[in-house]
Amino acid sequence: MRKAWVAGLWAISSLIVVFLITLPISLQAHLIAGCIVVLAMILLKTFGPPVGVFRMIALALGTAIVLRYVYWRTTSTLPPISQIEDFIPGFMLYIAEMYSVFMLFLSLFVVSSPMPSRVSPPIPPGEEPTVDVFIPTYNEDPHLLASTVSAALSLDYPADKFTVWLLDDGGTDQKCQQDDITKATEAQQRRAELTAMCEGLGCRYLTRARNEHAKAGNLNNGLQHSTGDLVVVFDADHAPTRDFLKETVGFFLQDENLFLVQTPHFFINPDPLERNLDTFEHMPSENEMFYGIIQRGLDKWDAAFFCGSAAVINRRALAETNGFQGITITEDAETALELHSRGWHSIYVDRPLIAGLQPETFASFIGQRSRWAQGMMQILRFHFPPGKRGLSLPQRLCYMSSTLFWLFSYPRLMFLISPLFYLFFSLEIFNASGAEFFAYTTTYMLVNLLMQNYLYGRYRWPWISELYEYIQSIYLFPALISVIANPHKPTFNVTAKGETLEEGHVSEIGRPFFIVYGILIVGLLVTIWRLVTEPFNADVIIVVGAWNVLNIIIAGCALGVVSERRNRRRTHRVDLMRRCELVIDGVSYGAMIDDGSLGGARVRPNPNVTLPELERGHAAVLRFKPIASNIAIDTMPVTIRNVERDSDGTLVGTEFAPTEPMHHRLIADLIFANSDQWKKFQESRRRNPGVLRGTINFLRISIFHTGRGLSYLVHLHKLWRERRQRPVLAPAKRG
């Protein structure tokens, strides 16, 4: 009886909503209703709690406006099919808008009420499962690998219950025996160097005969040579904190059908957008929207998926699928999809337990995102999650959201070029007066911004998503077309990390962004010209011109993103505040380690300490107590880099000078051991500026970095001009 009552209530509510959406009202009445909804959402956001019924009411109000816009857009604005030159671009824009609305509703389903942060269950002493820690590598620098391996060896877990494996795909038999002698020698040297490093640190080195099935094949080779109950995967640049296993393993003791515990990917360096726009210290990173809210939303529906690293996986589950899946180039999400369809469960732990590196250059960033996008399209093509047998309906919707998201490049490019159809060619792709466009589209956009702010406010600031989508779309769209046309074509490419930029310059793939910006500026000039010459169309021209100006603001900001700032630092500093002693010429001085990186540390002597005169290159020793009990040493050789003075006293810059493998263990203990420092930094950036202040902030950033990007272009143009004017030497005559 109760079910019938609930079903009837839902049916009545749906009919009321449909009636309100399709109710024919005047343009003025719609504008007033839209403004009332916007005001109500603002009041609910300002004075209501961030969760619960007030949040749902605000989202429901916003949904009503969005659906009314969809109804109006579908029934009143499409060009007649008889006008084919208008209909084709008009329908392409309509599809782009409907995709955006569909993805908005999928997002509402996924994250409207995300799973609260989980508390790790304790592990009873003596009942710890055995664990194999896999660190797959291909071409990463040995010093970077030494840091990750050292951090893994310091995990707070019984030493006889876990084994660390370095899975090297750069020193395979295939590579060591290839015909290219130079490359074969490099592979042989790499194998010998990493073998010696692993022996010195105390971990297992493993390679294989051939480089088959990329990362998935490498991991499966590790499975064949190990026996642990659980498998942990860390990317080569993902150094774990000491409590990683303590925060994750206990869940497997509670649920025998659990196949995955995934943790967030936390990065200690900025991505190209954050570095070039200088937002890393105060704005949430791009990945925080996914790891801070979306994965928690997926977790609510038992759909949190494997992200390739920082995860614990049940070996029994992998046995059902013969290991990690390798049909696509995103073996992580593919493996999770297969295991979810077989009835296994997953859990997401929202605590940063690793510190990783993001791509430094814009080209590497685009390469990484292209691989993710192509891999998700392969999953959609080969596995089709909406129709995958074994998945629940919520899981189908969640995987739809995760895969279809990567089609964003199509609507983003359509929104970019659509105003130009009218401004340049007078095509009527949107049959509406300026007043109608303003009334419906403005309220729809405001409601959309407010809904996104409700969902992601602390994790993604206004207009930043649009910027990230735009800077990726120009290159992701052809990559998606390529994989749709030939789904077997993409191959796994390792993302470059730890790159440096000796001088500021425009990215080698940045030229298209300047071309697009120039075209949009021409569109602005055409808008002004048409306003002067066609005053009878002023309402439409103003609205379309304003749309183009919005695109100019986003495209201008992108010029700053592709204008690479100089970055000569190979490693990135983190705040530490660890007590230490600085030993100089055999004399010990009490001090505090202010901050550090994999390359060195800045040491502040205690207030009552007077150091001797120091010169650059002077040898010294840094002594501090390691957190991990299995590190037998407490001294690190260093050299003095510089001595500075600030308002709080003296700062001594030191460079680590490791002479034995155990020194890398000590460096990793200093930099990576404590997860609280990552959580604290993460929380310091999670502020919600609101739609108005966020918009003003984005406008300020865009204006500044548009100018910076254009200045980089002028400098590059001068270099090209000097190169063209440089005399060319004639070839020597043969005699």
Side-chain angles (χ1 to χ4, degrees):
M1 183 68 182
R2 184 175 182 276
K3 290 184 178 180
W5 168 254
V6 172
L9 187 61
W10 272 107
I12 294 172
S13 301
S14 300
L15 289 173
I16 293 174
V17 169
V18 170
F19 173 74
L20 292 175
I21 292 170
T22 59
L23 182 67
I25 58 176
S26 67
L27 190 63
Q28 183 180 13
H30 172 81
L31 185 60
I32 293 172
C35 291
I36 291 173
V37 168
V38 169
L39 180 60
M41 292 181 69
I42 293 173
L43 292 175
L44 289 169
K45 181 72 175 64
T46 305
F47 300 106
V51 295
V53 65
F54 287 98
R55 175 187 172 98
M56 292 301 177
I57 291 173
L59 293 176
L61 290 172
T63 299
I65 293 295
V66 171
L67 289 175
R68 183 159 181 82
Y69 173 81
V70 169
Y71 177 74
W72 170 75
R73 186 76 174 87
T74 304
T75 60
S76 305
T77 65
L78 288 175
I81 196 169
S82 57
Q83 298 175 6
I84 196 69
E85 72 281 2
D86 294 333
F87 179 78
I88 290 177
F91 190 70
M92 291 173 64
L93 174 61
Y94 173 78
I95 292 297
E97 289 188 80
M98 293 306 104
Y99 163 86
S100 299
V101 171
F102 180 67
M103 293 306 298
L104 173 63
F105 289 152
L106 278 181
S107 297
L108 285 173
F109 172 77
V110 172
V111 304
S112 60
S113 182
M115 178 71 72
S117 296
R118 295 178 180 270
V119 177
S120 176
I123 307 172
E127 297 184 20
E128 298 91 347
T130 54
V131 178
D132 286 309
V133 179
F134 289 168
I135 303 173
T137 175
Y138 182 72
N139 59 1
E140 290 80 8
D141 184 87
H143 290 289
L144 177 66
L145 294 173
S147 300
T148 304
V149 169
S150 295
L153 289 167
S154 296
L155 289 168
D156 186 11
Y157 204 71
D160 60 337
K161 292 295 185 74
F162 79 102
T163 305
V164 178
W165 299 77
L166 184 66
L167 308 180
D168 180 27
D169 247 10
T172 58
D173 296 344
Q174 177 185 358
K175 284 189 166 293
C176 291
Q177 297 167 8
Q178 61 186 302
D179 293 333
D180 188 320
I181 300 299
T182 301
K183 292 183 178 180
T185 302
E186 291 175 353
Q188 294 165 9
Q189 292 174 346
R190 175 184 174 85
R191 179 189 282 194
E193 183 177 1
L194 293 184
T195 299
M197 182 194 78
C198 290
E199 290 177 354
L201 290 173
C203 80
R204 303 283 296 275
Y205 174 85
L206 181 66
T207 188
R208 54 182 174 146
R210 301 186 61 80
N211 298 81
E212 295 177 335
H213 304 295
K215 183 179 177 181
N218 194 9
L219 292 172
N220 288 334
N221 184 58
L223 287 175
Q224 294 172 10
H225 290 81
S226 59
T227 58
D229 301 319
L230 304 175
V231 173
V232 175
V233 181
F234 295 126
D235 278 349
D237 59 310
H238 283 187
T241 59
R242 273 181 44 78
D243 55 347
F244 182 91
L245 294 179
K246 292 288 187 182
E247 294 288 341
T248 55
V249 167
F251 293 103
F252 289 93
L253 302 180
Q254 290 186 332
D255 183 358
E256 63 179 12
N257 289 323
L258 182 67
F259 84 88
L260 171 72
V261 174
Q262 178 67 57
T263 70
H265 293 185
F266 172 81
F267 299 104
I268 59 175
N269 70 311
D271 67 27
L273 183 145
E274 294 169 316
R275 179 170 55 79
N276 294 325
L277 300 189
D278 195 23
T279 62
F280 181 65
E281 297 292 335
H282 59 271
M283 186 182 77
S285 291
E286 180 208 20
N287 62 295
E288 287 199 35
M289 187 172 85
F290 176 73
Y291 288 109
I293 190 76
I294 294 176
Q295 273 282 49
R296 286 170 48 212
L298 296 172
D299 192 20
K300 176 184 176 65
W301 304 110
D302 190 23
F305 61 85
F306 178 35
C307 299
S309 179
V312 188
I313 306 173
N314 193 329
R315 184 184 289 268
R316 289 192 299 110
L318 291 172
E320 283 195 15
T321 57
N322 294 319
F324 295 90
Q325 302 294 285
I327 298 176
T328 73
I329 58 175
T330 47
E331 80 295 327
D332 42 17
E334 183 185 1
T335 301
L337 173 64
E338 184 61 31
L339 289 171
H340 273 132
S341 71
R342 293 170 180 258
W344 290 86
H345 306 307
S346 63
I347 277 177
Y348 177 67
V349 174
D350 185 24
R351 181 177 178 85
L353 299 172
I354 61 101
L357 295 177
Q358 301 190 86
E360 294 282 358
T361 66
F362 182 69
S364 297
F365 174 83
I366 291 298
Q368 181 190 65
R369 296 314 194 268
S370 295
R371 177 169 63 83
W372 292 354
Q374 289 184 319
M376 284 300 191
M377 288 302 100
Q378 286 181 311
I379 289 176
L380 192 63
R381 166 65 175 80
F382 294 133
H383 299 285
F384 194 61
K388 181 79 170 173
R389 292 184 61 181
L391 295 179
S392 66
L393 178 59
Q395 286 176 323
R396 294 171 195 264
L397 294 174
C398 288
Y399 274 104
M400 281 179 63
S401 176
S402 299
T403 53
L404 293 177
F405 163 79
W406 289 98
L407 293 172
F408 68 76
S409 57
Y410 170 70
R412 182 53 49 199
L413 292 178
M414 280 305 304
F415 297 154
L416 182 74
I417 66 175
S418 289
L420 304 180
F421 286 123
Y422 178 78
L423 295 175
F424 288 166
F425 309 111
S426 296
L427 296 180
E428 301 284 350
I429 68 172
F430 202 117
N431 279 351
S433 67
E436 290 174 324
F437 189 97
F438 176 81
Y440 280 92
T441 304
T442 302
T443 53
Y444 163 68
M445 289 184 62
L446 284 174
V447 163
N448 206 332
L449 282 170
L450 288 169
M451 291 175 75
Q452 290 188 42
N453 192 252
Y454 245 108
L455 297 174
Y456 309 115
R458 294 181 61 234
Y459 305 91
R460 180 63 56 83
W461 290 3
W463 304 105
I464 298 299
S465 283
E466 285 74 12
L467 178 61
Y468 268 110
E469 289 181 2
Y470 169 65
I471 63 173
Q472 296 176 73
S473 293
I474 288 179
Y475 288 99
L476 256 59
F477 185 69
L480 290 175
I481 295 297
S482 172
V483 73
I484 290 171
N486 186 355
H488 293 280
K489 182 180 179 179
T491 57
F492 189 100
N493 293 310
V494 177
T495 304
K497 306 287 180 62
E499 301 167 286
T500 58
L501 297 168
E502 294 299 325
E503 297 296 338
H505 66 282
V506 173
S507 170
E508 61 269 32
I509 62 171
R511 187 183 299 183
F513 295 90
F514 289 90
I515 295 174
V516 169
Y517 185 76
I519 293 172
L520 295 178
I521 291 297
V522 173
L524 176 61
L525 298 177
V526 171
T527 301
I528 297 172
W529 177 75
R530 291 191 62 175
L531 277 174
V532 173
T533 59
E534 303 175 31
F536 48 87
N537 285 330
D539 58 341
V540 175
I541 295 172
I542 289 173
V543 169
V544 177
W547 185 355
N548 186 62
V549 168
L550 176 60
N551 288 334
I552 288 174
I553 294 171
I554 296 173
C557 198
L559 300 186
V561 177
V562 301
S563 299
E564 307 268 29
R565 293 180 185 270
R566 185 176 69 175
N567 178 33
R568 296 181 178 178
R569 185 182 297 279
R570 286 191 175 273
T571 56
H572 298 269
R573 293 191 176 277
V574 294
D575 293 332
L576 295 172
M577 302 306 291
R578 292 271 292 271
R579 282 188 178 183
C580 70
E581 293 179 0
L582 186 61
V583 183
I584 303 172
D585 298 329
V587 181
S588 178
Y589 301 90
M592 182 77 71
I593 301 176
D594 254 25
D595 57 44
S597 69
L598 294 178
R602 288 202 300 183
V603 179
R604 186 181 298 277
N606 293 339
N608 58 343
V609 169
T610 302
L611 296 179
E613 290 294 325
L614 297 174
E615 295 183 356
R616 180 184 177 88
H618 195 106
V621 172
L622 195 61
R623 179 183 293 126
F624 59 91
K625 183 179 179 180
I627 297 175
S629 59
N630 61 353
I631 299 179
I633 64 174
D634 63 355
T635 57
M636 167 64 63
V638 298
T639 57
I640 304 300
R641 297 283 295 175
N642 56 64
V643 179
E644 304 173 354
R645 287 175 174 80
D646 61 13
S647 58
D648 295 323
T650 302
L651 274 174
V652 180
T654 67
E655 181 179 1
F656 297 138
T659 57
E660 58 181 274
M662 197 55 66
H663 286 146
H664 291 286
R665 297 282 307 275
L666 203 58
I667 295 171
D669 185 272
L670 178 67
I671 304 298
F672 300 118
N674 182 13
S675 65
D676 288 336
Q677 64 184 341
W678 309 140
K679 187 69 174 177
K680 180 180 178 182
F681 177 69
Q682 196 178 62
E683 290 296 329
S684 71
R685 298 184 300 181
R686 288 181 174 177
R687 298 177 291 104
N688 184 357
V691 173
L692 179 60
R693 190 167 59 177
T695 299
I696 294 173
N697 182 62
F698 181 77
L699 183 61
R700 178 184 59 81
I701 292 174
S702 177
I703 292 172
F704 175 80
H705 288 285
T706 298
R708 189 178 70 84
L710 292 174
S711 71
Y712 271 55
L713 179 67
V714 170
H715 177 64
L716 186 62
H717 175 69
K718 289 179 180 179
L719 292 178
W720 287 339
R721 184 172 57 190
E722 291 172 1
R723 186 176 300 172
R724 287 197 303 268
Q725 293 173 350
R726 195 175 299 160
V728 179
L729 297 178
K733 295 181 179 179
R734 296 181 180 180

